[in-house]
Amino acid sequence: MSSPPAPDTAEIVIDPAFDPSSSPSNDSALDSGATDVSTASLSSTILAYRKIHGRTYHAYSSPSAAATEYWAPNDENANDQLDINHHLLSLSLDGKLFLAPIEKGKIHNVLDIGTGTGIWAIDFADAFPEAAVTGLDLSPIQPTWVPPNVRFVVDDVNNALTYPDATFDYVHIRYMTGCVKDWTALYKEAYRVLKPGGWIEHMDCSVGLWCDDGSIPEGSVFDQWVDMFKKAGPIMGQSFFVIEGDAFVKKMEEAGFGNIKTTVVKMPVGSWPRDGKLKEIGGVNLFAMHRDVEAFALYVTTTVLKWELAEAQVFLAKIRSELKNKAYHGYTLWKAAWSQKPSK
């Protein structure tokens, strides 16, 4: 997953002035700081987060099911990371909050699945003041002061959605890799709660680091990173490989969606691209990944794969070191897919 280029995408041009032999600390972004509740009441059990190796994780479970296993922490560092990720996607999409051809005046009810800190839902609510936006997440980590047309609920999308048929005009899903046990079932629920003519949009990322020029060698620590998630996914019953092979598109089709449109976004890691916008994205992406790579892997390595904490820490140190290797022209890969429910 580290060395082959992403399929059917344009190659990112390397900046000829970029010096891979210079100190990793010369990367400016890295220098800047690297190194109403729905089906359940907001009870103390939800807020009593589990603590694992100093990080906190959600403790929500529905009345009819055990707590869902979720790999990402929900502490302040992790929440900051979600907001940085939102910024990266905003840069990559030229400020667009969505790619589906939805129109103002036709969107009245929106569901944001996996809302996280709620930043997308809040931005969307500001852009569409006539729409009621519901953000759904396992953890109540969203702000209290929000636009009047936003509300956040605590719920688990691995259970049936608690909304009547044909409730929403738009269902938005983003960054849910490793979070869903049955994507076809979730898409079927999205299809059910969408009004005829309503839209679904899902954007997610690969866990691997890709490159177009072979600069990342086979057998690198990034290949070990991918293997880690390949092993953990079946144990958790939740795949981390949502976009690979357009798996999510196929599952959308199984759920009844058709005429699915897709796009691919390459997000460089480091300031090596020649293009100015990609250079900025790469710097921020490197900063973000280096800053909290632990959030991606601590639970998976120690709790799921049963590594010793010291072993996990050594592995994460290797990842951080290799992320700063300026000889590598790597990028993370995102894909989006959107479709409209038939009007009849």
Side-chain angles (χ1 to χ4, degrees):
M1 193 78 58
S2 64
S3 56
D8 303 322
T9 59
E11 183 173 345
I12 300 173
V13 179
I14 301 167
D15 183 356
F18 182 76
D19 182 6
S21 64
S22 63
S23 169
S25 62
N26 286 345
D27 193 293
S28 58
L30 191 59
D31 279 351
S32 64
T35 333
D36 80 90
V37 176
S38 62
T39 57
S41 63
L42 187 55
S43 66
S44 60
T45 56
I46 298 173
L47 296 172
Y49 301 133
R50 296 174 297 159
K51 183 168 282 190
I52 303 173
H53 302 308
R55 305 299 297 258
T56 63
Y57 295 80
H58 88 96
Y60 170 73
S61 60
S62 74
S64 59
T68 291
E69 188 168 23
Y70 180 45
W71 55 270
N74 60 6
D75 49 34
E76 185 176 355
N77 278 349
N79 297 342
D80 287 346
Q81 199 74 7
L82 290 175
D83 288 348
I84 293 170
N85 188 68
H86 177 75
H87 175 62
L88 279 167
L89 286 171
S90 181
L91 288 173
S92 298
L93 299 176
D94 297 319
K96 296 176 183 175
L97 291 169
F98 53 87
L99 297 172
I102 61 177
E103 303 176 48
K104 282 194 173 184
K106 296 184 179 180
I107 302 297
H108 306 289
N109 287 289
V110 176
L111 179 63
D112 182 30
I113 292 177
T115 196
T117 63
I119 190 169
W120 181 92
I122 292 169
D123 284 355
F124 189 94
D126 283 336
F128 287 74
E130 73 281 6
V133 182
T134 300
L136 185 156
D137 202 88
L138 278 170
S139 291
I141 56 175
Q142 302 78 32
T144 302
W145 296 98
V146 297
N149 55 328
V150 176
R151 73 179 188 126
F152 296 113
V153 298
V154 177
D155 209 345
D156 182 0
V157 297
N158 287 293
N159 304 322
L161 296 175
T162 58
Y163 303 99
D165 295 356
T167 298
F168 298 100
D169 302 287
Y170 179 48
V171 172
H172 176 260
I173 306 170
R174 191 173 76 178
Y175 198 26
M176 292 282 283
T177 185
C179 304
V180 176
K181 293 184 180 298
D182 187 337
W183 277 103
T184 301
L186 176 56
Y187 291 144
K188 284 182 177 179
E189 280 295 285
Y191 192 97
R192 179 184 66 79
V193 302
L194 274 173
K195 297 175 184 177
W199 290 87
I200 184 174
E201 182 168 343
H202 179 187
M203 188 167 197
D204 233 308
C205 63
S206 168
V207 299
L209 195 65
W210 301 71
C211 70
D212 293 327
D213 61 353
S215 59
I216 303 178
E218 290 290 335
S220 74
V221 69
F222 300 116
D223 284 342
Q224 298 172 43
W225 173 270
V226 171
D227 288 341
M228 176 186 73
F229 287 104
K230 284 182 178 178
K231 293 174 182 175
I235 297 172
M236 299 173 66
Q238 298 167 190
S239 176
F240 287 90
F241 299 89
V242 177
I243 66 171
E244 283 79 359
D246 284 342
F248 67 152
V249 174
K250 296 170 185 176
K251 293 183 183 299
M252 276 189 185
E253 291 172 341
E254 291 172 3
F257 290 103
N259 193 28
I260 300 169
K261 306 298 183 183
T262 62
T263 194
V264 176
V265 175
K266 290 179 172 182
M267 200 176 288
V269 179
S271 301
W272 55 267
R274 183 169 62 185
D275 178 83
K277 185 181 82 169
L278 291 175
K279 185 183 291 291
E280 179 185 6
I281 292 169
V284 177
N285 200 16
L286 173 60
F287 164 71
M289 295 179 70
H290 187 277
R291 174 184 178 273
D292 204 15
V293 68
E294 176 186 272
F296 295 95
L298 187 64
Y299 183 91
V300 169
T301 52
T302 62
T303 302
V304 179
L305 297 179
K306 308 301 181 184
W307 292 13
E308 293 295 328
L309 178 59
E311 181 184 6
Q313 289 172 331
V314 169
F315 177 69
L316 293 175
K318 291 179 180 178
I319 292 288
R320 292 189 187 97
S321 176
E322 290 298 275
L323 282 171
K324 295 186 292 181
N325 189 330
K326 292 199 170 189
Y328 295 168
H329 306 136
Y331 56 86
T332 51
L333 189 67
W334 290 75
K335 289 185 182 180
W338 59 94
S339 176
Q340 186 177 30
K341 182 177 178 178
S343 297
K344 294 183 180 180

